[in-house]
Each structure stands twice: as structure tokens, then as C-alpha cells.
Amino acid sequence: MTVSQVSFGSHEPVLDVKNLSVKYIGDTRSTTAVDRVSFSIGTGEVFGLAGESGCGKSTIANSIMRLLKDPAKIAGGSISFGGKDVLAMSPEELRRFRWQDVAMVFQSAMNSLNPVLTIGEQIVDIFTTHAGHSRKESLRRAGQLLELVRIDPARLKSYPHQLSGGMRQRAVIAMAVALKPSLLILDEPTTALDVVVQQEIMAQIKELQRELGFSVLFITHDMSLMVELSHRMAVMYGGRIVETAKAQDVYANPRHPYTQALMGAFPPLTGPRVPLTGLPDGVKFRNIPDLTEAAPGHFVAPVSADASAVDTAIMEGAAR
Amino acid sequence: MSPAVLSSRRPSADTEAAALEVRGLGKSFPLGGLFSRESVRALHGVDLAIGRGEIVALVGESGSGKSTLARCVARLERPSAGEILIDGVDVLKRDRFQASRAFRSQLQMVFQDPFGSLNPAHRVEHFLRRSLAIHRKGGSSETETRQRLEELMTTVGLQADMLNSYPHELSGGQRQRVAIARALAVEPQVILADEPTSMLDVSVRIGVLNLMRKLRDEQGISMLYITHDLASARYLADRTAVMFAGELVEEGESLDLLANAAHPYTQLLVSAVPDPARAGSYDPVRRAELRQAVMASTSCAFDGDPNQACSAEEPVRHGVGDPENRHWVRCHLYRPQAGAGGHALATEPTDNKASA
């Protein structure tokens, strides 16, 4: 697998996903949500996974955490974390793997806090269950944790509804890094927030990442945000990866028409107004082939002019 | 990418009455129980004019009062104060109690959620046909109505055979186009679009914005485009107005406003937009200063200029740069009164301290 060998200045990958396929099995038909996806994340690397709703990016995150429930089934491939096979873990191993090795911040995570417990009780809970600390020690650590994300430790006694959306989101991020996991999965961590708060939270994540050195799998549909934060990124479409490279390369030179459309969806804030074209309604790419290396470290799924693979009439609009 | 620069219309001011004008609009919502006298002031003294064939963007954070303004103008909400003028006629005086059909045919709305705004039990044809029938725009015969229906579909970039589709058969972008076609059926002169692209998949958003631009260019429809996305406001709108805590703080030609933002709140918004072209530009110290300036500015850039009066009590508007751009900024010294609407900045007091 050539793709997984390109990683950002690290010796060995923390997470290695190979040919992962996930199916949602229905009574009459089943859907392949993730189709032969391979990527790896190195130590201290921020890897971005971009794509629109329904492209399978959240399914990948849930597979890594082994959180998939029926009717979703991992149909093939492997996920290895630090050399261990995640798919073969026993329930007890999984319990330790989750949160200690890999932590996840979910979409609209700020609503995932328990409304009837104070922030303090919820953080203390992590330390007592997973790390086995005493209550007093846990409380002290919880205070430090809030300071880490710049929330006043006095807020330990607050209930979630007493905090603003941004503060709740930061509290959730603090909880995710509580046990110093080596991989943090961020699934659209800022979609529900205003830009000003979003930027401050992203800056905080960057800072925490530099301080604690964990790797990040960052999932979003906002290409500008992704390029700013990630070292390397992959673009997904219909369960497949259509392009993967260093984030700066994808930004400077998107090669797949779908990537170009995604980039075009975010008009620039400087320079003259130039007409942009997104993907016209109803465009479908079918039978996406495997990635090939278009430039050093830049892998793209070839787009054939073949009508069975792409609706050509529509492609004209997508090409800029 | 084609190098052609998109046209930007600049209707000369004062030559004709604005398509839509709002003067001193205010809206407060009562808080607490029946006998409570508390209220939250969602809008205060909003003055905004939209010329013919002009797109004006209204930007601000959630809770700043953008949608309340749209709902007041669309008369879904009764304003507490002010005037709403269409063609120079105050519609609040003309139709005292509720919006008249005449008003509805002048002004139409496109909502944020195309999944909620189309009845799932009806075909696309039904929505358009009803608009035509209610406002008697369908012509005198069935042939004419049919022709008009197909014309509408073509205008918004959909195929005519989609008239027989149900909403669930369409993608989000296609549904939003149907919602736009429904608004167009009435032949309005103003369309209020409240975050029309925020629920759509990113790759089709630009298509909807391009459609809105096309409607302005070809049919001369004026629009109020409400959004929290500055980049799309810059892309689409001729002028942009910035709202903060229920009041406008700055307004001007879109490119000029974003390039030369004068109000600290506008600067804050502009600096927060993710843009790979200036990655790593986040500076916590600068951010703390901006927040401070937004919440309690101690000086105004125009203070000491004998031609510009500054005031902490009155929302004085200072002109910025070339008068051609009609760019103004509210005096930094002005403090909104107590009871103003909420905003994200006010609710995070610990932040100022920590990052300063």
C-alpha cells in the first residue's frame, strides 16, 4: 500500500487503516458506506478527512472506535492501532482502548454532556473509571484540565446549560484529552458554532496538539478550515477516497473534479470577485477507480471520460 | 478559472425610491411571566435600504438579530417600532394588522431549510401552481399556466419533468431551487433569503448563489441575503451590512467593507474566517484587543476630527473612504443600552481574561 507510506515526518503510523469496507445491511438491499479505504496517521500528525454528508467519513470514525451498530457491518479490511488489531479486540481490551488510546469529539458534542450532572462530576467520572484515581485527586486533575482549555476551574460546579456553546465544546475537548490519548478523532467539532468561537477553538486544539503531541483525525466539510489545520488530507466521495495529499498541495492544486468543486464552494476573502462553479445538482461519479500517484505524494482517483463512470454532461460544469 | 470579474451593480442613490427600505425598525420580546416588565431588545433603530436590482447581505453571528429583522420585514413578526417602505409606501400603515396579498406579491421569502419548507405530500407542480393561482399570475388559460410553470423550472435550472416529483425525490439543492421558483412565481420585486445555503451540501452551495445572482441580473430582483458566511456575502452581495446585538454597526460596498473593515466587530468577524491563504494568522493578543474594543471601546478612529462628531449616546455614522462606496461605520464609542440582544462575545467573560 503506497498511500499509507506517505506520512508527515513521523517514523511509524499510529493508526493504519487498510482496505476498510463498511456495509449497511438492509432486508432487501445493502449499501456500501465505506469502500476499500486506506490511510494512515503518523505520530503527532493531523490528518483531515473531507467530504459531504453521507460520504462515509463519520462511519470511518465510528469503525475506528468500534462503535458501529447493526445494521452496519465491517465487511473487509483492517484497522491497526500502534500495531494492535482493533477489529480483533475483546470487550475488555476495547474498554481500555477507547478514551485511553483513542478519544473522540462528536458532532454537536456540546449536546452530549449530561444535563443533570455538573461539568466537574462528568470529568471526575473519567478519572475514577478509567484511571482509577481517588475522588479528591480526580477533582484536582479536573480543575487543571479546565485550565488547559482556558475555562475558570470554578466552572466545575456549573451545569452544562450554564455554559455557552463554545465553553461546552471546549469542556468536551478537555474531557477527550483527559487521559492523554495518542489519537484524537474530531468529527465536525465546530459546525454548530459561530466563526469567532470556531477559530478560537481550532487555535486551542492546535495548541493542545503541540503541547501533548497526540495525532488527530479531523473530519469536516469545510475545506478552508481543514487546509488550515491539517498536515495531510483525503477527500471522500461515495465511500471512496478520491484524492489524498499534503493539505497545502490539495489546496494549491486540487486534481479531482470533486475536490475542485469542494474548493470552489468557499469563495476567497481577498482579490477580485471571480465566478465559481460548484458541482451542479445531481452529479454522480460512479465506479471510482483506485488511487494513482499524480505527483510525488499526491494520489488521485483517475476520472475517465467514460460515460459509465461519470455523467459527462455534468462534468463540464464541475471543471473550472 | 476564468479571469472575468463578476459585474457589480451600483445603482445610484437617490434617483428613485428604494425597492425596500427599513427605517428605525425595533423589536423587543417580553421576558418572564405575564406581569414581568423585562424584555430583550432584539432589534433597535435599524435603517437599511435596498435599491432596485441590488443584493444586500446582512451578516452577523447567531443571536445578533438577522433573522428577527427578516421576520419583521416579511411581517411574520410585528415590529415594536419603525417603518417598512416598499416603493416608498409604509406597509405597516397600509396593511395594519397583517400582510396583505398585495404585499406578499411584492416580497417573498426563501427559508433556510428546504426540507421543512416544502410539504412532502405534494408534487413540485402543486407548490408552483398554488403560488400562480393565489396571486393570479398564471395567465388566463391552462396552456399559459403550463408554459409559465415550465418557464419557472428552466429559470431556476431544473428540468420541466421534475414538476411531477415529490420533494423527497430531490436533493437539497434541487429543493432549494424549487423554493426559489415558488417565490419567483409571484413575480416579486424583493426576495428575502434567510441563510438559503447553510443546510445544503457544500458542493452545490455556489450553484444556488449563482442562481440568485442570475435572477438579479436578468430580472432585476432585489434581495436581502442573510448569512453568517462573510465569504459568500462578499461573493454575492453588492453591499454588506453588519449586525451586532440588534443594531447595524457598519455597511458598505462588499469588497470595500471586508478589505477596509472599520468597526472592531467587523474586523473580528473578518479575522475569524478560515482562509488557507493567510493560515496561522490567529493572534490571541490581537484577538483580546479586538474583543475589548467591541465590548468597551475607549476611542474612536474619528475622534478629534472636527468634521466628524463622535458620541457615546447616539449611534453616529462616520463615512469611511471613498463616498462612492457608501461605506459607513457606527462610532466606536457608542454603547448599546441595557437589554440589548445577546451575542457570543458577551457570554464568554473568562476568555478575555485568560487570553489577554
PDB file of all heavy atoms in Angstrom, chain B residues 94-115:
ATOM      1  N   ARG B  94     -50.222  50.751   5.749  1.00  0.00           N
ATOM      2  CA  ARG B  94     -51.199  50.375   4.723  1.00  0.00           C
ATOM      3  C   ARG B  94     -51.982  49.130   5.142  1.00  0.00           C
ATOM      4  O   ARG B  94     -53.213  49.121   5.120  1.00  0.00           O
ATOM      5  CB  ARG B  94     -50.480  50.112   3.398  1.00  0.00           C
ATOM      6  CG  ARG B  94     -51.419  49.885   2.238  1.00  0.00           C
ATOM      7  CD  ARG B  94     -50.650  49.548   0.981  1.00  0.00           C
ATOM      8  NE  ARG B  94     -49.992  48.238   1.092  1.00  0.00           N
ATOM      9  CZ  ARG B  94     -49.124  47.776   0.215  1.00  0.00           C
ATOM     10  NH1 ARG B  94     -48.775  48.510  -0.826  1.00  0.00           N
ATOM     11  NH2 ARG B  94     -48.566  46.596   0.379  1.00  0.00           N
ATOM     12  N   ASP B  95     -51.252  48.086   5.525  1.00  0.00           N
ATOM     13  CA  ASP B  95     -51.934  46.870   5.977  1.00  0.00           C
ATOM     14  C   ASP B  95     -51.665  46.770   7.465  1.00  0.00           C
ATOM     15  O   ASP B  95     -50.649  46.238   7.870  1.00  0.00           O
ATOM     16  CB  ASP B  95     -51.372  45.614   5.302  1.00  0.00           C
ATOM     17  CG  ASP B  95     -50.938  45.862   3.869  1.00  0.00           C
ATOM     18  OD1 ASP B  95     -51.624  46.631   3.183  1.00  0.00           O
ATOM     19  OD2 ASP B  95     -49.910  45.298   3.472  1.00  0.00           O
ATOM     20  N   ARG B  96     -52.600  47.280   8.217  1.00  0.00           N
ATOM     21  CA  ARG B  96     -52.296  47.493   9.615  1.00  0.00           C
ATOM     22  C   ARG B  96     -52.123  46.202  10.410  1.00  0.00           C
ATOM     23  O   ARG B  96     -51.246  46.094  11.250  1.00  0.00           O
ATOM     24  CB  ARG B  96     -53.407  48.334  10.220  1.00  0.00           C
ATOM     25  CG  ARG B  96     -53.112  48.764  11.621  1.00  0.00           C
ATOM     26  CD  ARG B  96     -53.965  49.926  11.960  1.00  0.00           C
ATOM     27  NE  ARG B  96     -53.478  51.140  11.318  1.00  0.00           N
ATOM     28  CZ  ARG B  96     -53.336  52.280  11.980  1.00  0.00           C
ATOM     29  NH1 ARG B  96     -53.658  52.351  13.231  1.00  0.00           N
ATOM     30  NH2 ARG B  96     -52.905  53.345  11.378  1.00  0.00           N
ATOM     31  N   PHE B  97     -52.964  45.215  10.157  1.00  0.00           N
ATOM     32  CA  PHE B  97     -52.983  44.070  11.059  1.00  0.00           C
ATOM     33  C   PHE B  97     -52.172  42.879  10.569  1.00  0.00           C
ATOM     34  O   PHE B  97     -51.499  42.225  11.339  1.00  0.00           O
ATOM     35  CB  PHE B  97     -54.422  43.660  11.356  1.00  0.00           C
ATOM     36  CG  PHE B  97     -55.145  44.756  12.061  1.00  0.00           C
ATOM     37  CD1 PHE B  97     -56.049  45.555  11.388  1.00  0.00           C
ATOM     38  CD2 PHE B  97     -54.849  45.040  13.385  1.00  0.00           C
ATOM     39  CE1 PHE B  97     -56.675  46.586  12.045  1.00  0.00           C
ATOM     40  CE2 PHE B  97     -55.474  46.083  14.043  1.00  0.00           C
ATOM     41  CZ  PHE B  97     -56.394  46.866  13.365  1.00  0.00           C
ATOM     42  N   GLN B  98     -52.248  42.616   9.303  1.00  0.00           N
ATOM     43  CA  GLN B  98     -51.435  41.526   8.790  1.00  0.00           C
ATOM     44  C   GLN B  98     -51.063  41.822   7.356  1.00  0.00           C
ATOM     45  O   GLN B  98     -51.635  42.719   6.736  1.00  0.00           O
ATOM     46  CB  GLN B  98     -52.170  40.201   8.906  1.00  0.00           C
ATOM     47  CG  GLN B  98     -53.486  40.198   8.156  1.00  0.00           C
ATOM     48  CD  GLN B  98     -54.120  38.828   8.163  1.00  0.00           C
ATOM     49  OE1 GLN B  98     -53.833  38.000   9.000  1.00  0.00           O
ATOM     50  NE2 GLN B  98     -54.997  38.587   7.216  1.00  0.00           N
ATOM     51  N   ALA B  99     -50.127  41.041   6.845  1.00  0.00           N
ATOM     52  CA  ALA B  99     -49.654  41.278   5.485  1.00  0.00           C
ATOM     53  C   ALA B  99     -50.792  41.045   4.496  1.00  0.00           C
ATOM     54  O   ALA B  99     -51.546  40.087   4.618  1.00  0.00           O
ATOM     55  CB  ALA B  99     -48.497  40.343   5.178  1.00  0.00           C
ATOM     56  N   SER B 100     -50.925  41.945   3.529  1.00  0.00           N
ATOM     57  CA  SER B 100     -51.957  41.772   2.513  1.00  0.00           C
ATOM     58  C   SER B 100     -51.401  40.939   1.370  1.00  0.00           C
ATOM     59  O   SER B 100     -50.193  40.712   1.273  1.00  0.00           O
ATOM     60  CB  SER B 100     -52.386  43.133   1.975  1.00  0.00           C
ATOM     61  OG  SER B 100     -51.287  43.731   1.334  1.00  0.00           O
ATOM     62  N   ARG B 101     -52.300  40.491   0.497  1.00  0.00           N
ATOM     63  CA  ARG B 101     -51.853  39.715  -0.655  1.00  0.00           C
ATOM     64  C   ARG B 101     -50.966  40.586  -1.545  1.00  0.00           C
ATOM     65  O   ARG B 101     -49.988  40.111  -2.117  1.00  0.00           O
ATOM     66  CB  ARG B 101     -53.063  39.203  -1.424  1.00  0.00           C
ATOM     67  CG  ARG B 101     -52.689  38.217  -2.474  1.00  0.00           C
ATOM     68  CD  ARG B 101     -53.894  37.575  -3.092  1.00  0.00           C
ATOM     69  NE  ARG B 101     -54.635  36.793  -2.128  1.00  0.00           N
ATOM     70  CZ  ARG B 101     -55.881  36.376  -2.337  1.00  0.00           C
ATOM     71  NH1 ARG B 101     -56.515  36.692  -3.442  1.00  0.00           N
ATOM     72  NH2 ARG B 101     -56.498  35.660  -1.429  1.00  0.00           N
ATOM     73  N   ALA B 102     -51.313  41.859  -1.648  1.00  0.00           N
ATOM     74  CA  ALA B 102     -50.515  42.770  -2.473  1.00  0.00           C
ATOM     75  C   ALA B 102     -49.079  42.823  -1.945  1.00  0.00           C
ATOM     76  O   ALA B 102     -48.113  42.791  -2.702  1.00  0.00           O
ATOM     77  CB  ALA B 102     -51.134  44.155  -2.460  1.00  0.00           C
ATOM     78  N   PHE B 103     -48.955  42.851  -0.614  1.00  0.00           N
ATOM     79  CA  PHE B 103     -47.618  42.884  -0.014  1.00  0.00           C
ATOM     80  C   PHE B 103     -46.860  41.603  -0.325  1.00  0.00           C
ATOM     81  O   PHE B 103     -45.692  41.615  -0.689  1.00  0.00           O
ATOM     82  CB  PHE B 103     -47.750  43.077   1.493  1.00  0.00           C
ATOM     83  CG  PHE B 103     -46.458  42.945   2.229  1.00  0.00           C
ATOM     84  CD1 PHE B 103     -45.520  43.955   2.179  1.00  0.00           C
ATOM     85  CD2 PHE B 103     -46.172  41.796   2.962  1.00  0.00           C
ATOM     86  CE1 PHE B 103     -44.313  43.829   2.851  1.00  0.00           C
ATOM     87  CE2 PHE B 103     -44.977  41.668   3.637  1.00  0.00           C
ATOM     88  CZ  PHE B 103     -44.052  42.693   3.579  1.00  0.00           C
ATOM     89  N   ARG B 104     -47.556  40.485  -0.189  1.00  0.00           N
ATOM     90  CA  ARG B 104     -46.913  39.190  -0.451  1.00  0.00           C
ATOM     91  C   ARG B 104     -46.448  39.071  -1.895  1.00  0.00           C
ATOM     92  O   ARG B 104     -45.493  38.367  -2.182  1.00  0.00           O
ATOM     93  CB  ARG B 104     -47.881  38.046  -0.142  1.00  0.00           C
ATOM     94  CG  ARG B 104     -48.154  37.861   1.320  1.00  0.00           C
ATOM     95  CD  ARG B 104     -47.187  36.868   1.940  1.00  0.00           C
ATOM     96  NE  ARG B 104     -47.387  36.786   3.373  1.00  0.00           N
ATOM     97  CZ  ARG B 104     -46.601  37.374   4.267  1.00  0.00           C
ATOM     98  NH1 ARG B 104     -45.574  38.077   3.868  1.00  0.00           N
ATOM     99  NH2 ARG B 104     -46.836  37.258   5.548  1.00  0.00           N
ATOM    100  N   SER B 105     -47.174  39.732  -2.810  1.00  0.00           N
ATOM    101  CA  SER B 105     -46.748  39.616  -4.201  1.00  0.00           C
ATOM    102  C   SER B 105     -45.572  40.553  -4.482  1.00  0.00           C
ATOM    103  O   SER B 105     -44.917  40.450  -5.507  1.00  0.00           O
ATOM    104  CB  SER B 105     -47.904  39.882  -5.157  1.00  0.00           C
ATOM    105  OG  SER B 105     -48.175  41.261  -5.194  1.00  0.00           O
ATOM    106  N   GLN B 106     -45.311  41.479  -3.573  1.00  0.00           N
ATOM    107  CA  GLN B 106     -44.139  42.339  -3.739  1.00  0.00           C
ATOM    108  C   GLN B 106     -42.905  41.727  -3.098  1.00  0.00           C
ATOM    109  O   GLN B 106     -41.790  41.964  -3.533  1.00  0.00           O
ATOM    110  CB  GLN B 106     -44.397  43.712  -3.102  1.00  0.00           C
ATOM    111  CG  GLN B 106     -45.380  44.559  -3.880  1.00  0.00           C
ATOM    112  CD  GLN B 106     -45.760  45.806  -3.129  1.00  0.00           C
ATOM    113  OE1 GLN B 106     -46.042  45.747  -1.935  1.00  0.00           O
ATOM    114  NE2 GLN B 106     -45.767  46.922  -3.818  1.00  0.00           N
ATOM    115  N   LEU B 107     -43.137  40.981  -2.029  1.00  0.00           N
ATOM    116  CA  LEU B 107     -41.994  40.478  -1.267  1.00  0.00           C
ATOM    117  C   LEU B 107     -42.212  39.009  -0.933  1.00  0.00           C
ATOM    118  O   LEU B 107     -43.273  38.629  -0.459  1.00  0.00           O
ATOM    119  CB  LEU B 107     -41.868  41.299   0.017  1.00  0.00           C
ATOM    120  CG  LEU B 107     -40.687  40.990   0.930  1.00  0.00           C
ATOM    121  CD1 LEU B 107     -40.127  42.281   1.481  1.00  0.00           C
ATOM    122  CD2 LEU B 107     -41.130  40.106   2.084  1.00  0.00           C
ATOM    123  N   GLN B 108     -41.204  38.204  -1.228  1.00  0.00           N
ATOM    124  CA  GLN B 108     -41.296  36.779  -0.947  1.00  0.00           C
ATOM    125  C   GLN B 108     -40.082  36.339  -0.143  1.00  0.00           C
ATOM    126  O   GLN B 108     -39.064  37.013  -0.127  1.00  0.00           O
ATOM    127  CB  GLN B 108     -41.335  35.996  -2.261  1.00  0.00           C
ATOM    128  CG  GLN B 108     -42.686  36.021  -2.943  1.00  0.00           C
ATOM    129  CD  GLN B 108     -43.642  35.010  -2.325  1.00  0.00           C
ATOM    130  OE1 GLN B 108     -43.308  33.848  -2.122  1.00  0.00           O
ATOM    131  NE2 GLN B 108     -44.844  35.464  -2.015  1.00  0.00           N
ATOM    132  N   MET B 109     -40.233  35.202   0.515  1.00  0.00           N
ATOM    133  CA  MET B 109     -39.135  34.718   1.357  1.00  0.00           C
ATOM    134  C   MET B 109     -38.634  33.357   0.885  1.00  0.00           C
ATOM    135  O   MET B 109     -39.416  32.558   0.394  1.00  0.00           O
ATOM    136  CB  MET B 109     -39.621  34.571   2.787  1.00  0.00           C
ATOM    137  CG  MET B 109     -39.095  35.644   3.697  1.00  0.00           C
ATOM    138  SD  MET B 109     -39.426  35.271   5.402  1.00  0.00           S
ATOM    139  CE  MET B 109     -37.772  35.112   6.044  1.00  0.00           C
ATOM    140  N   VAL B 110     -37.343  33.125   1.046  1.00  0.00           N
ATOM    141  CA  VAL B 110     -36.789  31.782   0.855  1.00  0.00           C
ATOM    142  C   VAL B 110     -36.156  31.412   2.189  1.00  0.00           C
ATOM    143  O   VAL B 110     -35.348  32.164   2.722  1.00  0.00           O
ATOM    144  CB  VAL B 110     -35.725  31.757  -0.262  1.00  0.00           C
ATOM    145  CG1 VAL B 110     -35.056  30.402  -0.343  1.00  0.00           C
ATOM    146  CG2 VAL B 110     -36.354  32.115  -1.598  1.00  0.00           C
ATOM    147  N   PHE B 111     -36.551  30.268   2.719  1.00  0.00           N
ATOM    148  CA  PHE B 111     -36.101  29.921   4.059  1.00  0.00           C
ATOM    149  C   PHE B 111     -34.863  29.045   4.030  1.00  0.00           C
ATOM    150  O   PHE B 111     -34.459  28.525   2.993  1.00  0.00           O
ATOM    151  CB  PHE B 111     -37.226  29.218   4.823  1.00  0.00           C
ATOM    152  CG  PHE B 111     -38.402  30.100   5.068  1.00  0.00           C
ATOM    153  CD1 PHE B 111     -39.463  30.130   4.182  1.00  0.00           C
ATOM    154  CD2 PHE B 111     -38.432  30.930   6.177  1.00  0.00           C
ATOM    155  CE1 PHE B 111     -40.546  30.955   4.403  1.00  0.00           C
ATOM    156  CE2 PHE B 111     -39.510  31.756   6.396  1.00  0.00           C
ATOM    157  CZ  PHE B 111     -40.571  31.771   5.512  1.00  0.00           C
ATOM    158  N   GLN B 112     -34.325  28.865   5.250  1.00  0.00           N
ATOM    159  CA  GLN B 112     -33.084  28.127   5.410  1.00  0.00           C
ATOM    160  C   GLN B 112     -33.234  26.647   5.076  1.00  0.00           C
ATOM    161  O   GLN B 112     -32.385  26.063   4.437  1.00  0.00           O
ATOM    162  CB  GLN B 112     -32.641  28.286   6.863  1.00  0.00           C
ATOM    163  CG  GLN B 112     -31.389  27.552   7.209  1.00  0.00           C
ATOM    164  CD  GLN B 112     -30.934  27.875   8.622  1.00  0.00           C
ATOM    165  OE1 GLN B 112     -31.659  28.501   9.375  1.00  0.00           O
ATOM    166  NE2 GLN B 112     -29.758  27.452   8.959  1.00  0.00           N
ATOM    167  N   ASP B 113     -34.339  26.072   5.511  1.00  0.00           N
ATOM    168  CA  ASP B 113     -34.449  24.618   5.488  1.00  0.00           C
ATOM    169  C   ASP B 113     -35.361  24.158   4.353  1.00  0.00           C
ATOM    170  O   ASP B 113     -36.569  24.171   4.493  1.00  0.00           O
ATOM    171  CB  ASP B 113     -35.006  24.150   6.837  1.00  0.00           C
ATOM    172  CG  ASP B 113     -35.113  22.641   6.909  1.00  0.00           C
ATOM    173  OD1 ASP B 113     -34.703  21.984   5.936  1.00  0.00           O
ATOM    174  OD2 ASP B 113     -35.605  22.134   7.920  1.00  0.00           O
ATOM    175  N   PRO B 114     -34.791  23.714   3.228  1.00  0.00           N
ATOM    176  CA  PRO B 114     -35.652  23.301   2.112  1.00  0.00           C
ATOM    177  C   PRO B 114     -36.345  21.972   2.395  1.00  0.00           C
ATOM    178  O   PRO B 114     -37.220  21.566   1.654  1.00  0.00           O
ATOM    179  CB  PRO B 114     -34.672  23.174   0.949  1.00  0.00           C
ATOM    180  CG  PRO B 114     -33.379  22.835   1.570  1.00  0.00           C
ATOM    181  CD  PRO B 114     -33.371  23.499   2.920  1.00  0.00           C
ATOM    182  N   PHE B 115     -35.923  21.297   3.475  1.00  0.00           N
ATOM    183  CA  PHE B 115     -36.560  20.036   3.821  1.00  0.00           C
ATOM    184  C   PHE B 115     -37.845  20.296   4.595  1.00  0.00           C
ATOM    185  O   PHE B 115     -38.763  19.501   4.561  1.00  0.00           O
ATOM    186  CB  PHE B 115     -35.615  19.163   4.648  1.00  0.00           C
ATOM    187  CG  PHE B 115     -34.350  18.857   3.921  1.00  0.00           C
ATOM    188  CD1 PHE B 115     -33.284  19.740   3.970  1.00  0.00           C
ATOM    189  CD2 PHE B 115     -34.232  17.711   3.153  1.00  0.00           C
ATOM    190  CE1 PHE B 115     -32.120  19.472   3.273  1.00  0.00           C
ATOM    191  CE2 PHE B 115     -33.067  17.447   2.461  1.00  0.00           C
ATOM    192  CZ  PHE B 115     -32.013  18.323   2.513  1.00  0.00           C
TER     193      PHE B 115
END
